[in-house]
Amino acid sequence: MSARCQVLGTVPGFGHTVSHSHVRTKRRFDPNIQKKRYWVPSLGRNVTLRVSAKGIKTIDRRGIDVVVAQILARGEKV
């Protein structure tokens, strides 16, 4: 599975690890992806989402119904 948030669409970033001698090697910054289960009253069932920590905070602010409606409007399966 890809390291992608279903709510925000956050994807990995890329950069360098810089050692003490200043040698640079490529590295990947993955988002903090969690598998979280939510009860969605509008659908009448539980949904499991792969969300980042920031995505969880977004769901807390906007509400799960609004977020799931936006995911479904994009054409993603929930």
Side-chain angles (χ1 to χ4, degrees):
M1 282 194 177
S2 64
R4 184 178 183 280
C5 176
Q6 286 183 294
V7 175
L8 300 175
T10 310
V11 292
F14 295 89
H16 291 95
T17 298
V18 182
S19 69
H20 179 70
S21 64
H22 213 65
V23 173
R24 295 172 184 214
T25 54
K26 293 293 267 179
R27 66 158 294 181
R28 177 176 152 145
F29 295 93
D30 283 328
N32 185 7
I33 299 292
Q34 310 291 322
K35 208 171 189 183
K36 191 128 169 66
R37 201 167 146 225
Y38 290 98
W39 170 256
V40 183
S42 61
L43 298 178
R45 65 183 175 95
N46 286 315
V47 295
T48 303
L49 297 175
R50 297 188 72 236
V51 294
S52 62
K54 193 170 181 180
I56 292 171
K57 292 176 188 175
T58 302
I59 291 171
D60 290 343
R61 267 195 313 275
R62 294 185 192 162
I64 188 65
D65 284 324
V66 174
V67 172
V68 168
Q70 288 173 345
I71 292 171
L72 292 174
R74 282 196 307 253
E76 287 186 38
K77 189 177 175 184
V78 180

